[in-house]
């Protein structure tokens, strides 16, 4: 079986895609403002669109992050992400909690991370992904490494890939083509 076929086999059953934040949904930069020390992050709008499309196709999305941030809470809410676990360095334990709550088999779970706290989750998930800017020692344990870097379209690359493997991508394209014709 070739690599592409093996990857498709891992992507088809995915019902939950879990994402790390810093380094995956963002480029990993943290900005602390002088007044009050508030934190800000930059998120990619195409990643956000991909998350919405993936959820609309029937795949749940969750976030597990080691940091706690109001910005991440706001981003999750704006994307309709129900499962948000912050302040969790124990990502495999946090992931197990979501998997058990949803009654999923590990083959139905995808996880995308970029660093050592993500490694066990990347390995345990049925589909483990890392981003292009993840260290080599993370990428070597991943089923897939994105071409794009974290915060710059890596999440969209993964969401599109899942939808293509599951046969929901063309319906998405057709929806937008059809809406253009009727307006």
């Amino acid at each position: 079986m070739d690599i592409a076929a093996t990857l498709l086999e891992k992507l088809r059953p995915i019902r939950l895609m879990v994402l790390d934040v810093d380094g995956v949904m963002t480029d990993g930069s943290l900005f602390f403002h002088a007044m009050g020390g508030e934190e800000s992050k930059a998120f990619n709008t195409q990643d956000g669109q991909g998350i919405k499309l993936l959820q609309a196709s029937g795949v749940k999305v969750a976030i597990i992050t080691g940091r706690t941030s109001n910005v991440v809470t706001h981003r999750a809410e704006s994307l309709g992400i129900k499962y948000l676990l912050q302040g969790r360095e124990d990502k495999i334990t946090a992931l197990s909690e979501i998997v058990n709550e949803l009654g999923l088999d590990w083959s139905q779970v995808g996880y995308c991370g970029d660093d050592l706290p993500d490694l066990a989750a990347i390995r345990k998930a049925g589909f483990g992904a890392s981003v292009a800017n993840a260290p080599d020692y993370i990428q070597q344990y991943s089923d897939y490494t994105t071409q794009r870097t974290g915060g710059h379209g890596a999440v969209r690359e993964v969401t599109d890939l899942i939808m293509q493997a599951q046969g929901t991508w063309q319906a998405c394209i057709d929806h937008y083509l059809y809406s253009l014709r009727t307006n």
Side-chain angles (χ1 to χ4, degrees), residues 9-157:
E9 196 172 291
K10 288 181 170 283
L11 292 169
R12 283 190 187 115
I14 299 299
R15 294 294 164 256
L16 171 68
M17 186 64 213
V18 183
L19 306 167
D20 177 32
V21 176
D22 298 319
V24 174
M25 292 180 70
T26 75
D27 68 4
S29 299
L30 299 173
F31 302 96
F32 294 97
H33 302 276
M35 298 298 288
E38 289 187 36
E39 180 179 302
S40 65
K41 301 173 188 278
F43 295 96
N44 184 292
T45 59
Q46 289 183 350
D47 286 350
Q49 181 67 25
I51 289 169
K52 288 180 186 178
L53 294 172
L54 187 62
Q55 291 178 116
S57 78
V59 176
K60 291 176 176 33
V61 175
I63 294 172
I64 300 174
T65 180
R67 299 180 57 78
T68 301
S69 169
N70 290 332
V71 175
V72 174
T73 301
H74 179 71
R75 183 65 171 158
E77 288 172 355
S78 71
L79 295 173
I81 297 173
K82 178 180 174 184
Y83 298 95
L84 170 62
L85 283 75
Q86 296 194 72
R88 299 294 298 267
E89 288 289 331
D90 59 334
K91 296 193 179 184
I92 189 63
T93 303
L95 179 57
S96 295
E97 292 168 9
I98 298 171
V99 169
N100 290 336
E101 181 178 333
L102 294 174
L104 296 173
D105 182 89
W106 284 98
S107 66
Q108 297 174 297
V109 178
Y111 187 93
C112 185
D114 74 311
D115 213 336
L116 288 170
D118 303 302
L119 191 55
I122 288 170
R123 294 301 303 145
K124 180 79 173 174
F127 167 67
S130 59
V131 293
N133 53 313
D136 291 341
Y137 51 84
I138 301 300
Q139 293 182 19
Q140 76 181 15
Y141 290 103
S142 302
D143 296 312
Y144 180 78
T145 299
T146 61
Q147 293 179 10
R148 296 183 179 152
T149 59
H152 298 281
V155 171
R156 181 61 176 268
E157 187 177 329

